[in-house]
Structures are given as structure tokens and as C-alpha cells.
Amino acid sequence: MSGRRTTFSEVMAGTLRLAGEERPRPMRLELDVDLPGVLRPWGDTEGALTGRVVVPGWADDEAASGRLRVAPLAARRIRYTMDFTAADGRRLHLDGWKTVAPRRPVRSMTSLPVTVTDEDGTVLGEARLRFDLRRDLAAFLASFRLPARPDDPMRSRWRGRPGRLEVWYTTLTDPATGTGVWLHHELVAPDTGEARAHGWAAVFPPGGSPVFARFGPHGWSRPEDAVFTAGPVVQTAGRLTGTAGTIGWDLRESGGGRPLHTFPRWAWERELLPAAQIVPKPTAVYDGVVRFGDRTLTLRGAPGGSARIYGHGNARRWAWLHADLGGGDVCEIVAAVSTRPGLDRLPPLPLVRLRVDGTDLPSGDPLLAALRLRAGIGLPTWTVQGRLGDRWLRVEVTQRPEETVAVDYADPDGAPAVCHNSERADVRIFLARRAGRSWETEREWHLAGTGHAEVGLR
């Protein structure tokens, strides 16, 4: 992709007429746009849209997010789509577009009709917003930047070297049914031979057996507008689509929060360890459809996350947890035993990141903090406990056998491994602080069937 991108800010204001109300309400959008490459009028590009949606007395969401498509000449359209939260907690969707008219270019590019719908697609209101040239044009032009593209943790790190394994994986839970979903994408560059792209998908319906299917292998390619492709399977910055056996998916990914560094930041950036993991989108939200067998799962505001692994292969033994604790809180754990001679005799090293109220624990290097933690890897229950900075942490994860799938892996050198994955794990987390000579419970979380967990064995 281009080494640059285009960013700018835009403000639009007008009125929103809600269904059942006689008088329209004021409405205001304060938007920040991040587009790939250098913006050109004759191009057709799509990028991230974040900002604030304000409707006094009805909504004021400073964390709204979505997508902006800019194609004023190619398609005569500039389209805005955003998800935001109303004051009563409902997740809503905004969809608007400017239809560029050659005879009225200024008027058509400053007028934005908008439709607001709820999670069921019911139209709640329609708005008419405008960009005020006299008031906001100077600030709009001053906001344009062409910064160099930062290192995107979702982009492939592979540079043609043999003996490398790269993974993209997304896990989520349907809030309506409790169904768990796992999408796993792999690039395997073997010690000898051509690199291949493959993976699998699994759906975990409550009360039923998991449905699992593989896709690929395909030859590795990386088009400019995607982070992973393998035949019909494509993952871009905000969308996941594909088919694997009887499973098909078309999902829109939004939000995500700031990246969570389960491993030390230097381990990911400098590749100094046999492998490292990062969670670029720890608190993402998913909307769309997953089909498995003769069933269809429609997702609206499903919490989940997308993570990455890059290195020389899988660990000798490992355990993994992604737990959405609500309200932006999240717990990520990777406990592993290395395959390197000498290191393979050590106990599992648990790397933990616990994000609570916007603060990441431990506050320092997670590799140093791991020396004060202990992991017991097993099935159906595994644990991590010990000191986490000035706190005491205990995590207990239970993967019920009937809601767990066993998946065969192969490292770049051909060595086999098997992971046991459940997207409906039970999780108990206790966080305590010192109170005199004892520990006092600070926070406690119990997740029933909404944890995402895995145990890998050789």
C-alpha cells in the first residue's frame, strides 16, 4: 500500500425528525476521517470514520465509528455509515450519502441526507445535515494532513523468509443467542516450498455441537486493500467475508479500542522472541451474517476482537484466553512453553494483560510480570494466578468437552500440534489488592459461556 494516508475533520449540522415526533431535533456530526493513500477526486477509496454524534436529549456518543467511501467522480457518491449508541443504550446505525451532481457540485457535496435505524433495521428517523461553508470551510481545509502511514498491526509482517507462521484470528459472541464464532486465518511459509494461505471457521451454538470447517490451502497473495486473502476468504480493515465447507460469513467490524500488547511491545516490533502475539482490536463490534448448515445467525453489536500472531511456529504447549468483561474492560492471556531446547523444560510462562477502566495491568513489561505468575495448563480447566504488580490475580477457565473442538496444526517445519478451542468457555476472574496483611477483593468477573479459550498440546 501507499506509504501515506489522508486525514481530515468535518462538521455537519442540521435536524433529525424522529418517527412519532412532530418537531425535529437538532443534530450534529463531528467527524474524523482516515483514508488510505492520497485522496484524489477521480479515485474510489474507503476508510475509517470516527467521531461524535449529538442529538440533544436523545444521543451523545463520542465513540461513534464507521466507514466513509469517497468516490465523487467514479461513482458520484460520498457515503457515510456509522454505528453509535443512544442515550438509552440502544445500538443505532447511521447511513447517509452525498450524491454528487455536476450541475450543482457545491450544493450536492455539502448536503447530507441521513437515515437512522435500530438493530432490527427499523427506521427511527431521517435527518438533513449540511456543511456550512462560511463557518467551517477554513477549519476543514486546515485539518487536511498527509501523514506517513504508521505500522498497522493487522498488516502482514512476512517478507518472504522461510520457516514463518503468521495468524489472524477473530472471535466473537452473539449477545442474542450466546453463540460463539471463531475465524482463523493462517499464512504458513514452510522451511522448503511455497507459502500457503489457509484456515478454518467454527460456530459454537449453545446446547449443540460445534460446527467446524476448513478452507484452502491457496497460494499466498496480498492485494492492496486487504490484510489476508485465501480464495473466497477475505479480511480487510473493516470487513470479513468467506466460506469454509458449510459455513459462510459476511461481517462488518467496527471500533476495537487501542491495541492490547499481551507480549512486550518490543517483542512484536523487533521479532526477538520465537513468536509474539498482539490484539489490535480487543473490543471490536461485529454486525452481519454467519450461516452454518441450514441455520443463519444474524449479528448486531456482537462483542469480540481480532488478534495476530507472528513467529517461527506454535509453542510446545499453550493456553489462550480472550474475555470481554464489558464496559471496555478485557482480559487477554497467553501462557506457553517454548519448543526451544532448554526452554521446553520450563513451566508455562503466563503473559497477562488486564484492561480495567482504561488502564492496562500490569503497568510495566508483561514478560517481567510473568515471572510472578503461575499457570496450570490442562483440560477441561486451566488456571493462572499470582502477583500482578501490586495486585493478586486468579483466573480460572473451563472449556466444556461438548463445546470444544480439536484442530490439527502444522508448523512451518511440519511438526504437528493440536489445539482444543472453545468459544463458549466459562471464566472466573478475581482481582484483589493488599489490605493490611490480607488481600481484599477489588473486582470480580464471572462469564458463563462467553469466554474465548484454547489449549494447545503436542
Side-chain angles (χ1 to χ4, degrees), residues 190-203:
D191 291 349
T192 59
E194 297 295 324
R196 62 184 184 272
H198 73 124
W200 49 83
V203 183

Side-chain angles (χ1 to χ4, degrees), residues 42-56:
W42 57 85
D44 186 344
T45 186
E46 183 176 326
L49 187 64
T50 59
R52 183 180 183 185
V53 178
V54 182
V55 182

Side-chain angles (χ1 to χ4, degrees), residues 269-346:
E269 294 176 349
R270 302 179 187 178
E271 302 177 16
L272 298 179
L273 297 178
Q277 185 249 25
I278 187 176
V279 192
K281 301 177 182 182
T283 54
V285 174
Y286 298 86
D287 300 276
V289 174
V290 176
R291 297 180 176 86
F292 55 108
D294 58 355
R295 288 174 284 183
T296 299
L297 180 69
T298 301
L299 299 169
R300 298 187 178 92
S306 284
R308 301 271 282 105
I309 299 172
Y310 185 72
H312 295 264
N314 296 288
R316 183 177 182 85
R317 288 189 297 137
W318 72 89
W320 162 79
L321 170 70
H322 176 82
D324 190 309
L325 308 178
D329 295 347
V330 63
C331 180
E332 191 84 12
I333 296 176
V334 176
V337 177
S338 174
T339 57
R340 297 291 175 87
L343 298 178
D344 57 359
R345 298 184 180 182
L346 297 177

Side-chain angles (χ1 to χ4, degrees), residues 23-354:
R23 295 183 178 181
R25 297 174 181 251
M27 184 174 187
R28 179 179 174 89
L29 302 183
E30 301 172 2
L31 306 176
D32 294 315
V33 179
D34 191 337
L35 299 172
V38 177
L39 182 62
R40 295 178 172 87
W42 57 85
D44 186 344
T45 186
E46 183 176 326
L49 187 64
T50 59
R52 183 180 183 185
V53 178
V54 182
V55 182
W58 193 70
D60 188 352
D61 186 357
E62 297 181 349
S65 63
R67 306 290 292 174
L68 175 67
R69 180 191 177 193
V70 182
L73 298 181
R76 294 187 179 181
R77 177 159 294 191
I78 303 175
R79 185 170 185 177
Y80 300 71
T81 58
M82 294 190 77
D83 295 313
F84 67 100
T85 303
D88 59 7
R90 288 182 296 169
R91 290 286 294 174
L92 306 178
H93 182 68
L94 177 154
D95 192 350
W97 57 86
K98 301 173 182 177
T99 302
V100 181
R103 294 184 179 182
R104 300 187 303 277
V106 175
R107 180 181 178 85
S108 61
M109 292 184 68
T110 57
S111 178
L112 179 67
V114 167
T115 300
V116 177
T117 58
D118 63 11
E119 293 182 337
D120 296 324
T122 303
V123 176
L124 301 182
E126 296 184 348
R128 196 67 143 179
L129 308 179
R130 292 192 63 82
F131 176 80
D132 192 316
L133 288 171
R134 289 179 296 179
R135 183 186 62 198
D136 298 320
L137 180 59
F140 172 73
L141 294 176
S143 72
F144 266 84
R145 298 286 186 274
L146 296 172
R149 183 181 302 279
D151 181 27
D152 181 357
M154 289 299 292
R155 300 294 297 177
S156 176
R157 300 181 68 87
W158 187 59
R159 295 297 178 265
R161 294 181 179 179
R164 297 296 189 273
L165 173 67
E166 188 164 21
V167 180
W168 296 256
Y169 62 93
T170 297
T171 58
L172 58 95
T173 299
D174 176 28
T177 65
T179 301
V181 177
W182 177 29
L183 304 176
H184 182 103
H185 310 75
E186 278 196 1
L187 162 63
V188 180
D191 291 349
T192 59
E194 297 295 324
R196 62 184 184 272
H198 73 124
W200 49 83
V203 183
F204 298 76
S209 299
V211 179
F212 174 85
R214 296 180 183 267
F215 60 85
H218 298 272
W220 170 246
S221 65
R222 186 179 60 186
E224 291 189 353
D225 58 349
V227 298
F228 179 91
T229 61
V233 176
V234 179
Q235 181 173 4
T236 66
R239 193 175 181 189
L240 299 99
T241 58
T243 58
T246 62
I247 304 175
W249 60 95
D250 187 344
L251 301 175
R252 186 173 67 252
E253 182 181 56
S254 59
R258 69 182 188 278
L260 198 66
H261 288 269
T262 320
F263 281 63
R265 185 186 295 266
W266 56 261
W268 176 258
E269 294 176 349
R270 302 179 187 178
E271 302 177 16
L272 298 179
L273 297 178
Q277 185 249 25
I278 187 176
V279 192
K281 301 177 182 182
T283 54
V285 174
Y286 298 86
D287 300 276
V289 174
V290 176
R291 297 180 176 86
F292 55 108
D294 58 355
R295 288 174 284 183
T296 299
L297 180 69
T298 301
L299 299 169
R300 298 187 178 92
S306 284
R308 301 271 282 105
I309 299 172
Y310 185 72
H312 295 264
N314 296 288
R316 183 177 182 85
R317 288 189 297 137
W318 72 89
W320 162 79
L321 170 70
H322 176 82
D324 190 309
L325 308 178
D329 295 347
V330 63
C331 180
E332 191 84 12
I333 296 176
V334 176
V337 177
S338 174
T339 57
R340 297 291 175 87
L343 298 178
D344 57 359
R345 298 184 180 182
L346 297 177
L349 188 67
L351 296 160
V352 175
R353 277 299 192 194
L354 181 63

Side-chain angles (χ1 to χ4, degrees), residues 370-399:
L371 299 176
R372 307 179 74 181
L373 297 167
R374 295 292 181 267
I377 297 179
L379 288 170
T381 299
W382 57 273
T383 61
V384 170
Q385 64 180 357
R387 294 286 294 273
L388 196 68
D390 61 348
R391 294 169 168 87
W392 176 267
L393 175 73
R394 176 173 171 79
V395 180
E396 181 180 290
V397 181
T398 299
Q399 302 178 210

